[in-house]
Amino acid sequence: MMSSSGPTLTQTEVADIVITIIAIIVTSFRLYVRVRQGRLWIDDAWATLGMIFDFILLVTLCLYMQDFDKYPQGTRIALYYMVAQCFYIVVWSSRLSILFTIVRLTVPGTFRRILMFTAIAFGTVWALLFSQLWWICEKNPAWKTQSFPQCDLGRSVAITQIITDVLGDSILIVAPFCLIYKVRLSWGQKIRVLSVFSASAITTIVSLTHAYYIYSGGGLKEVMAAMIEASISLIVANLSVVIAFIFNLNTEDDAPSAPAPIVTFGSLPRKRVRDPLAMTFTDVETTAVVLEDLSESRPRSLKTSDTDEITLNNREGKQTQELC
């Protein structure tokens, strides 16, 4: 079950509890920010689902590892299946949360339809991984007689996870590039914007480690890697909202005369602004990216929906415009 150099049962439980608590706190903060702004959407629903099942995963895992000898064999097997399937729920609901965060930033059109088809593909992959685990474990039921039952998922599951994780995270990294590459920002500003979504690469690294431990025989290393991957996926899914909140606070603390451009993710309170071209007043709520730059004479924004847009405001001209 565990090599001499592997983590102990206590170390595994402590690590799982700590990383799960961090993920739950970050997700709860994200939901608080969105509720306060009145901007809950589908991406928040997926994040909430991930948080709920991350907590269920932690409780089930503690019961599975610590008190398994108190339960009949059938209960131990059920606990193992719950741990394995809750892991998939947390990871893929987190990816869907990131994907729908990108969707809400896009205008209706071809790119948005592609993202929606991608969401369907993510759900299909999730279902296939769910089914594969049942198929592998039920096909070779010898593991069910072990006092500490753990299915040997083997090479096929490891390879499948590597392929799906790398492809899924790559899509979540590339999609934002396609979204803003035409927006007039400096290279430094674009790097700052895209770095938030590129954090999905962290999930890829952890998932590759998890796949390696699956391939090499499981044990407590596999259990710990799975728990870390699930919680890291959930934390990464919340970064765009959390970083938005932090940057907005920093923006409010800055002096009004500060000339430095500011790029932030997230949303600002709804306010009525005047459109200098149409000579009308419109309600605008900025989200995802807010860029304030005193040096630009032509304000621009990439409108993403009725309430979501990437906006560049010019304080000196006191103008706000919608592009696209």
Side-chain angles (χ1 to χ4, degrees), residues 79-317:
L79 286 172
Y80 171 79
Y81 274 127
M82 289 181 65
V83 169
Q85 299 297 2
C86 284
F87 163 78
Y88 283 136
I89 294 174
V90 177
V91 170
W92 285 96
S93 62
S94 298
R95 288 195 174 109
L96 284 167
S97 177
I98 298 174
L99 184 63
F100 277 99
T101 297
I102 301 172
V103 169
R104 75 186 296 172
L105 304 179
T106 60
V107 294
T110 302
F111 185 59
R112 189 165 194 165
R113 286 194 295 270
I114 292 174
L115 292 178
M116 294 306 297
F117 282 120
T118 303
I120 296 174
F122 276 20
T124 303
V125 170
W126 179 1
L128 290 175
L129 292 171
F130 187 97
S131 303
Q132 183 190 38
L133 186 139
W134 284 99
W135 172 259
I136 295 295
C137 294
E138 292 299 317
K139 185 178 179 181
N140 302 291
W143 62 276
K144 295 182 179 181
T145 61
Q146 302 171 2
S147 58
F148 189 80
Q150 184 176 13
C151 177
D152 184 7
L153 299 176
R155 180 178 181 181
S156 60
V157 173
I159 293 176
T160 303
Q161 285 197 14
I162 290 174
I163 294 174
T164 56
D165 289 345
V166 171
L167 288 178
D169 292 335
S170 297
I171 291 173
L172 297 178
I173 294 173
V174 172
F177 281 81
C178 299
L179 178 64
I180 73 165
Y181 80 100
K182 289 184 178 179
V183 177
R184 289 172 52 193
L185 300 176
S186 68
W187 277 109
Q189 292 164 347
K190 286 187 177 182
I191 291 174
R192 185 173 174 179
V193 168
L194 295 172
S195 62
V196 176
F197 291 101
S198 298
S200 294
I202 300 174
T203 306
T204 304
I205 296 173
V206 179
S207 66
L208 292 177
T209 304
H210 179 214
Y212 169 77
Y213 287 131
I214 292 176
Y215 183 81
S216 61
L220 290 181
K221 289 182 179 180
E222 178 191 340
V223 173
M224 180 181 287
M227 199 70 196
I228 293 176
E229 179 183 351
S231 295
I232 290 296
S233 298
L234 186 57
I235 292 171
V236 168
N238 297 304
L239 285 182
S240 61
V241 179
V242 174
I243 292 178
F245 181 82
I246 295 174
F247 279 139
N248 285 338
L249 285 182
N250 290 339
T251 302
E252 293 174 0
D253 292 338
D254 287 341
S257 60
I262 301 169
V263 180
T264 63
F265 285 93
S267 63
L268 296 176
R270 183 178 293 275
K271 58 183 178 181
R272 293 183 66 82
V273 297
R274 183 165 183 163
D275 186 337
L277 298 182
M279 299 302 292
T280 59
F281 287 88
T282 58
D283 287 331
V284 175
E285 180 181 354
T286 60
T287 64
V289 179
V290 178
L291 171 63
E292 298 185 1
D293 191 346
L294 300 179
S295 63
E296 291 287 347
S297 60
R298 293 180 60 191
R300 299 188 62 189
S301 69
L302 174 60
K303 182 173 177 57
T304 58
S305 68
D306 292 337
T307 58
D308 299 319
E309 62 180 358
I310 300 175
T311 305
L312 184 148
N313 294 331
N314 190 319
R315 280 186 192 164
E316 203 168 44

Side-chain angles (χ1 to χ4, degrees), residues 1 9 61 63-69 73 76-77 80 143-151 219-220 223:
M1 291 296 299
L9 186 62
L61 191 62
L63 293 175
Y64 171 69
M65 293 191 303
Q66 188 67 40
D67 300 325
F68 68 94
D69 56 341
Q73 190 68 12
R76 302 177 196 176
I77 296 171
Y80 171 79
W143 62 276
K144 295 182 179 181
T145 61
Q146 302 171 2
S147 58
F148 189 80
Q150 184 176 13
C151 177
L220 290 181
V223 173

